[in-house]
Amino acid sequence: MLNKQLFLTLSLSTLLLAGCSTTHYISITPQADVKSTALSNDRVIHVTTSSRLTNAVGSIKTGINERADIFTTNDIKQSIRDSVLSGLREMGFTPEQGVMPAADLQIEISKMSYTTKVEALKTVATLEFELKTTLAAKGQTYKANYGSEKVREYGTMPYQKAIEDDMNELASQTVTRLLSDPNIITLLK
């Protein structure tokens, strides 16, 4: 009996020292926070998205040696495109209607990361999301970068849902910045 208790105690200690390793799968589906207005467009608005990023967002390592890798489960390029188109429609634009040549809005997802560092037993997470855009319309080309960053602090491993909510909030803020840019709006009108 004593050997069994000793074995269980040693096993539990080993597990705690080894830490927990897991994987968090998140879905990034940003929602643009734009006001409904009566904007309209003369030209078709063609929105394309691209990215060289993989579905690996980052990883977490806590002060108590917990570890998790973070991956996306959906097509980020498609969800960003859907969010931008939805935001444009909410603003009053009709992207699929108008004369040609189209206004060409190219969006590159250039950064989507979740990194951590340990300070004592506290885990400090830095979340980043960035879009690079090029809009060619009305004989002009406009380029801009939109980025958002958030810092979170944890004592233990955050839940998958919390990570997903934080990354979606960041992506939503970034898409909202893009759609709130007066130069983008002027070239699309």
Side-chain angles (χ1 to χ4, degrees), residues 36-63:
S36 277
T37 56
L39 295 173
S40 63
N41 50 296
D42 295 334
R43 303 193 169 283
V44 169
I45 301 171
H46 186 248
V47 178
T48 57
T49 52
S50 64
S51 182
R52 293 189 188 109
L53 302 175
T54 65
N55 69 331
V57 178
S59 62
I60 302 169
K61 186 172 181 192
T62 68

Side-chain angles (χ1 to χ4, degrees), residues 31-41 43-48 80-96 103-107 135 175-176 178-181 183-189:
Q31 305 296 315
D33 183 17
V34 293
K35 293 178 175 41
S36 277
T37 56
L39 295 173
S40 63
N41 50 296
R43 303 193 169 283
V44 169
I45 301 171
H46 186 248
V47 178
T48 57
I80 294 294
R81 184 177 184 277
D82 291 347
S83 178
V84 168
L85 286 170
S86 174
L88 288 172
R89 288 186 187 101
E90 198 170 315
M91 294 164 71
F93 291 115
T94 50
E96 54 287 323
D104 187 24
L105 179 58
Q106 298 173 8
I107 303 166
L135 174 58
V175 169
T176 300
L178 184 158
L179 292 173
S180 302
D181 185 331
N183 294 314
I184 296 276
I185 293 168
T186 299
L187 286 173
L188 291 179
K189 288 199 287 187

Side-chain angles (χ1 to χ4, degrees), residues 53-119:
L53 302 175
T54 65
N55 69 331
V57 178
S59 62
I60 302 169
K61 186 172 181 192
T62 68
I64 56 174
N65 214 21
E66 297 169 301
R67 185 169 158 61
D69 293 316
I70 306 167
F71 297 96
T72 57
T73 58
N74 62 326
D75 182 352
I76 305 304
K77 296 184 298 286
Q78 187 63 46
S79 69
I80 294 294
R81 184 177 184 277
D82 291 347
S83 178
V84 168
L85 286 170
S86 174
L88 288 172
R89 288 186 187 101
E90 198 170 315
M91 294 164 71
F93 291 115
T94 50
E96 54 287 323
Q97 295 177 3
V99 297
M100 295 299 273
D104 187 24
L105 179 58
Q106 298 173 8
I107 303 166
E108 179 189 353
I109 305 151
S110 55
K111 186 178 246 184
M112 176 178 58
S113 66
Y114 193 109
T115 56
T116 58
K117 65 181 176 180
V118 176
E119 295 176 358

Side-chain angles (χ1 to χ4, degrees), residues 119-189:
E119 295 176 358
L121 288 178
K122 178 175 61 176
T123 303
V124 179
T126 303
L127 295 70
E128 296 176 286
F129 197 88
E130 188 176 289
L131 300 173
K132 291 182 179 181
T133 61
T134 303
L135 174 58
K138 299 181 179 177
Q140 298 177 44
T141 300
Y142 176 70
K143 294 183 180 197
N145 296 334
Y146 308 94
S148 300
E149 180 178 290
K150 182 177 195 173
V151 176
R152 300 278 286 169
E153 294 182 357
Y154 304 103
T156 61
M157 179 66 66
Y159 290 108
Q160 179 173 303
K161 177 80 171 115
I163 294 167
E164 183 174 84
D165 290 348
D166 284 344
M167 287 304 293
N168 272 303
E169 180 185 336
L170 214 55
S172 297
Q173 287 173 2
T174 309
V175 169
T176 300
R177 280 194 181 100
L178 184 158
L179 292 173
S180 302
D181 185 331
N183 294 314
I184 296 276
I185 293 168
T186 299
L187 286 173
L188 291 179
K189 288 199 287 187

